[in-house]
Amino acid sequence: MPYRAVLGAITLVLVAALGGAAGQAPPRAPAIIPAGLGDETFLYGDRLYLIASGRAEGDETTQNRVVTTYQLPEARVIARTTIAVTGAVLGLEQIGDVLVLGYQFNTDGRQGVVAQAVGATTPLWRKTARFVQAATADGIALLDDGAGLIAVDVRTGALRWRVPGPAGGLLTPDGGPDGGYPRWLVLGSDSGQLATWDARTGRPLASTTLPTAAGLMWPVGDLVMVDVGNGYDAYRLPGLDRLWHTATDLSQSSVETDCGVIICMFRQQRGMTAVDPATGRAVWRSERWGYAEPFGSYLLAGAGPETPALSVLDPATGQVLGDFGDWQSLGPAGGGRLYGKKDAKGQYRIWYGLLDPATRQVEYLGTAERVSGNCQTAPIADPVLVCRLVDASYAVWHLR
């Protein structure tokens, strides 16, 4: 090819490339949220709550913890509330203008709950109990006070209702849709009683008698599995119609998640059994997986924290359809895809992008520098990625 023709072709390619680059906006710099090493964060919807590590007061066990509320995606401070607690904060929710914190006593391991209006200086109420969850629409906080489950008014702490726990059995909430507030409370007693209550009203719903004392019990999806000695019985929630009995060996196993079309039973170290929720039959087993979660018509599974590679399975057969290499899930992104990240080994850097389980393809979105971990996504209208940096502060990147 003549020299002038080659030069002309190269010139056209460079002009097109430079023109395209000029039309692209540079990536937005992340917003930075100052934080210290002992500070904690909780992310709910478009709010990020930063809880400062606090300082000892008086008896050296009580700490004043400043809760700073940030509005996402701009990371703008909208409130600061100082709350006195006696140990580590275990959970936090905001119901209306009230913050409810669950914490642990440093002295003996007991747990406490405190409620305080945003921006106020004194608590609305405080109780020695374990904070389970709050129902915003009903204005109640569900607590475990050791004698059973109680619902208290978020603003006053007044008792709304109580479901007493059995002396030798188990009283537990179901997982709730998408991990939200539970729908039902399920009780299995050593006398062989199985019963359900409405988790919003405390109203009794159904009861039945088991063939033997209830052992381990797992509410999962719309049923509850109960260890009856020679296997497991399954009952439909909340009416407690008996569905099936299985003698499948599920010893040393537990339910960690509702896997949609199957029940995922995980063994203590590694390995899982997929159980058909309609029959109790074990449909497949694998020694490979340490965790799994449903995503659309797929199952996303991994071996464990040490090997975080994410694989895509057919939940009906356990067949591995493909994987995302070293990419890890950060939660749903809409449109059948999810956000993910990949760590640069030996460096404080991550790549983040969109993962498509249908094609096992990754769409690169950006690179985040100086990241030490604790990355979460907020799937709001303007979605963001929040990660802790090496200096303990938090950075907020826009994902669109």
Side-chain angles (χ1 to χ4, degrees):
M1 183 179 291
Y3 171 77
R4 288 180 181 276
V6 173
L7 184 61
I10 293 173
T11 301
L12 288 174
V13 171
L14 288 173
V15 168
L18 289 171
Q24 293 178 359
R28 285 180 280 186
I32 303 299
I33 297 175
L37 283 175
D39 297 352
E40 305 164 85
T41 57
F42 293 88
L43 182 61
Y44 294 106
D46 63 353
R47 303 285 175 89
L48 183 142
Y49 301 90
L50 176 73
I51 305 177
S53 56
R55 56 187 178 83
E57 294 287 336
D59 58 4
E60 298 293 326
T61 61
T62 301
Q63 293 181 329
N64 282 327
R65 308 290 294 270
V66 178
V67 180
T68 305
T69 307
Y70 290 87
Q71 178 78 52
L72 298 176
E74 59 269 30
R76 174 174 55 89
V77 175
I78 58 176
R80 281 194 173 92
T81 312
T82 301
I83 304 177
V85 298
T86 57
V89 175
L90 305 176
L92 176 149
E93 287 192 48
Q94 182 172 340
I95 304 91
D97 65 342
V98 177
L99 292 174
V100 180
L101 271 73
Y103 59 93
Q104 183 168 333
F105 290 94
N106 283 334
T107 52
D108 55 15
R110 292 177 302 151
Q111 294 186 24
V113 185
V114 59
Q116 193 162 315
V118 174
T121 57
T122 57
L124 296 168
W125 53 268
R126 189 186 298 271
K127 296 183 183 294
T128 300
R130 179 176 65 87
F131 179 41
V132 178
Q133 214 158 4
T136 302
D138 301 281
I140 58 174
L142 185 64
L143 315 178
D144 182 347
D145 68 355
L149 292 173
I150 62 173
V152 300
D153 186 282
V154 167
R155 295 206 66 85
T156 67
L159 180 68
R160 292 272 192 92
W161 47 263
R162 169 186 292 276
V163 176
L170 180 65
L171 175 63
T172 183
D174 83 307
D178 300 321
Y181 188 82
R183 297 163 292 179
W184 309 296
L185 308 178
V186 187
L187 176 146
S189 72
D190 57 0
S191 63
Q193 182 191 19
L194 185 66
T196 56
W197 283 263
D198 186 310
R200 293 186 178 274
T201 65
R203 180 173 62 90
L205 298 175
S207 65
T208 190
T209 301
L210 300 171
T212 184
L216 295 174
M217 183 174 70
W218 296 298
V220 53
D222 289 331
L223 58 83
V224 58
M225 295 174 60
V226 184
D227 181 359
V228 290
N230 63 341
Y232 290 82
D233 284 356
Y235 294 83
R236 178 75 65 193
L237 291 172
L240 297 180
D241 299 317
R242 188 172 182 272
L243 299 177
W244 43 259
H245 173 84
T246 180
T248 299
D249 182 13
L250 301 174
S251 59
Q252 307 301 312
S253 297
S254 64
V255 176
E256 294 183 15
T257 183
D258 176 8
C259 285
V261 297
I262 60 171
I263 299 172
C264 293
M265 302 290 298
F266 296 95
R267 291 189 281 283
Q268 288 183 354
Q269 300 302 320
R270 182 185 292 180
M272 65 168 285
T273 301
V275 175
D276 183 348
T279 65
R281 183 175 61 89
V283 292
W284 55 269
R285 297 178 185 271
S286 173
E287 299 299 323
R288 180 176 177 182
W289 311 118
Y291 67 90
E293 61 178 347
F295 190 85
S297 58
Y298 303 100
L299 199 64
L300 305 179
E306 297 81 11
T307 52
L310 191 65
S311 295
V312 182
L313 314 183
D314 177 355
T317 64
Q319 177 187 358
V320 179
L321 304 176
D323 64 66
F324 292 108
D326 292 332
W327 286 80
Q328 305 166 44
S329 170
L330 287 174
R337 298 192 293 178
L338 59 150
Y339 293 114
K341 75 176 180 74
K342 180 180 178 180
D343 297 314
K345 292 182 173 61
Q347 305 175 53
Y348 293 107
R349 176 189 300 124
I350 66 166
W351 298 280
Y352 56 92
L354 286 165
L355 315 183
D356 188 342
T359 63
R360 275 74 73 189
Q361 297 297 307
V362 178
E363 178 186 342
Y364 167 80
L365 294 179
T367 302
E369 303 285 352
R370 300 174 57 246
V371 171
S372 66
N374 194 24
C375 291
Q376 304 176 72
T377 55
I380 54 181
D382 186 356
V384 294
L385 169 68
V386 181
C387 295
R388 193 155 209 170
L389 303 182
V390 292
D391 64 356
S393 64
Y394 287 83
V396 182
W397 289 269
H398 291 268
L399 291 170
R400 290 181 186 167

